[in-house]
């Protein structure tokens, strides 16, 4: 997809500074390949998948650090079978010097595999700080969650933010990925109105096949109506094509107001395509910053 040279370049600058990326524990080789296209010090979130073991997760965090980036390991509350499993993971991160930045999430299982029902329960253990965490990311859902009501989501966001602040931990919010700018900015405005002032990283899907994007969107409850697809720049009748987020980012840059929305950055979901996403960002940054 061609980039429009008329994009609001000055407005893009704050959004394109200090973006973050997401990978799985098995994407280390992909990160090594993509490394030259990623700015040093970039935050790399490492997911906590059910088919990966402790060693895979710890190895991935070490690799991120070794390559000159900031590892942000995920801690999935409902995937932890016991308090001992949580402490073993956090102790391993601390021993490797990769525990300062973590991201806590409830996780996919419908039923907890251990004592932690959600991210708040994990936060309230106090173990994150004890094992060296200094910055903790939490989830935000501008388009809602398929299994959780909006009232519960808002209450959880405020409570998690408050508990982390009480523990002296810095906090940021990473949102689910989105195709439509309207609900994202409306959600940020509402979060500020409710007193959640933490920096927000807006989830953005990296360039990927349209069929794959639609599959992930359906899984995570992200709107995929024809009108939203049109705003994003692809046709749901042509699922063989590839779409990038340039149109979404232009619209975001046009409407982002730091005085209204506070500190906002971007978080790219790579869907396994670290190199493609990183190279796309590098091209877009060059176009927007010159």
């Amino acid at each position: 997809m061609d980039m429009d040279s008329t994009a609001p370049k000055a407005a893009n600058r704050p959004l394109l500074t200090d973006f973050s990326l997401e990978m799985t524990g098995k994407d280390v080789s992909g990160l090594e390949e993509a490394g030259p296209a990623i700015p040093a010090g970039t935050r790399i979130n490492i997911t906590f998948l059910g088919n990966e073991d402790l060693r895979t997760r710890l190895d991935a965090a070490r690799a991120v650090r070794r390559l000159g980036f900031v590892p942000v390991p995920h801690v999935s509350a409902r995937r932890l079978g016991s308090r001992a499993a949580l402490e073993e993971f956090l102790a391993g991160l601390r021993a490797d010097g990769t525990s300062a930045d973590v991201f806590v999430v409830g996780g996919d299982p419908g039923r907890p595999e251990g004592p932690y029902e959600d991210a708040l329960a994990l936060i309230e253990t106090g173990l994150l700080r004890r094992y060296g965490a200094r910055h903790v990311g939490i989830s935000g859902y501008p388009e809602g969650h398929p299994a959780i009501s909006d009232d519960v989501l808002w209450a959880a966001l405020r409570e998690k933010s408050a508990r982390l602040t009480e523990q002296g931990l810095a906090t940021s919010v990473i949102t689910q990925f989105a195709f439509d700018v309207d609900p994202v900015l409306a959600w940020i405005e509402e979060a500020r109105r409710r007193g959640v002032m933490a920096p927000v990283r807006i989830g953005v899907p990296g360039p990927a096949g349209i069929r794959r994007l639609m599959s992930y969107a359906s899984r995570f409850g992200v709107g995929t109506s024809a009108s939203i697809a049109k705003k994003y720049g692809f046709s749901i009748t042509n699922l063989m094509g590839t779409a990038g987020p340039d149109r979404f980012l232009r619209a975001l840059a046009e409407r982002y107001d730091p005085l209204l929305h506070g500190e906002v950055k971007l978080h790219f979901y790579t869907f396994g395509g670290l190199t493609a996403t990183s190279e796309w960002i590098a091209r877009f940054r060059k176009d927007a910053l010159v």
Side-chain angles (χ1 to χ4, degrees):
M1 189 176 295
D2 293 335
M3 292 175 206
D4 184 354
S5 61
T6 63
K9 297 177 180 179
N12 270 307
R13 289 191 179 113
L15 293 171
L16 290 167
T17 301
D18 187 28
F19 65 87
S20 54
L21 297 167
E22 190 151 313
M23 62 177 278
T24 74
K26 297 177 181 178
D27 286 337
V28 171
S29 61
L31 183 63
E32 291 173 337
E33 178 184 345
I38 305 173
T42 295
R43 299 170 67 83
I44 310 289
N45 283 47
I46 306 159
T47 58
F48 193 107
L49 302 181
N51 60 358
E52 296 173 349
D53 59 17
L54 175 66
R55 179 51 49 195
T56 299
R57 296 175 185 129
L58 294 177
D59 286 348
R62 280 200 303 269
V64 170
R65 185 183 181 209
R66 169 175 57 82
L67 292 168
F69 309 118
V70 177
V72 185
H74 288 201
V75 187
S76 179
R78 287 193 289 273
R79 289 197 185 281
L80 291 163
S82 65
R83 180 185 174 97
L86 171 59
E87 294 206 55
E88 183 182 18
F89 183 40
L90 295 177
L93 294 174
R94 182 176 63 181
D96 292 338
T98 57
S99 65
D101 296 82
V102 298
F103 178 81
V104 294
V105 64
D108 291 338
R111 282 185 165 187
E113 296 174 12
Y116 306 114
E117 173 70 28
D118 52 28
L120 180 60
L122 193 153
I123 290 168
E124 289 180 332
T125 66
L127 292 173
L128 299 176
R129 181 180 176 87
R130 187 183 306 175
Y131 280 93
R134 295 294 174 263
H135 179 280
V136 179
I138 55 179
S139 299
Y141 299 92
E143 296 192 57
H145 188 287
I148 306 173
S149 72
D150 286 346
D151 286 345
V152 171
L153 289 174
W154 281 119
L157 181 66
R158 290 186 62 183
E159 193 71 10
K160 288 183 288 187
S161 181
R163 296 290 82 75
L164 290 168
T165 298
E166 289 172 1
Q167 293 177 28
L169 295 168
T171 310
S172 62
V173 180
I174 297 179
T175 76
Q176 67 191 145
F177 70 85
F179 296 131
D180 189 358
V181 167
D182 294 342
V184 173
L185 292 180
W187 182 89
I188 294 175
E189 292 169 24
E190 180 64 13
R192 303 316 188 203
R193 190 187 70 78
R194 291 172 180 259
V196 178
M197 307 310 292
V200 173
R201 290 183 176 270
I202 296 175
V204 180
I210 293 171
R211 186 184 299 275
R212 192 170 196 183
L213 285 174
M214 298 288 277
S215 173
Y216 275 101
S218 175
R219 176 182 173 188
F220 293 110
V222 177
T224 57
S225 68
S227 62
I228 291 175
K230 183 178 179 181
K231 283 186 178 182
Y232 196 71
F234 61 77
S235 169
I236 60 175
T237 62
N238 178 17
L239 297 181
M240 300 306 294
T242 297
D246 44 306
R247 186 175 297 190
F248 176 87
L249 295 183
R250 290 194 205 103
L252 182 62
E254 288 172 355
R255 295 183 50 195
Y256 167 54
D257 180 353
L259 296 179
L260 179 62
H261 303 116
E263 184 177 345
V264 173
K265 304 289 185 182
L266 301 176
H267 178 75
F268 288 88
Y269 292 90
T270 63
F271 305 130
L274 273 165
T275 298
T277 299
S278 301
E279 291 178 348
W280 188 96
I281 296 169
R283 291 193 300 270
F284 191 83
R285 278 166 54 91
K286 182 179 179 180
D287 178 74
L289 298 177
V290 295

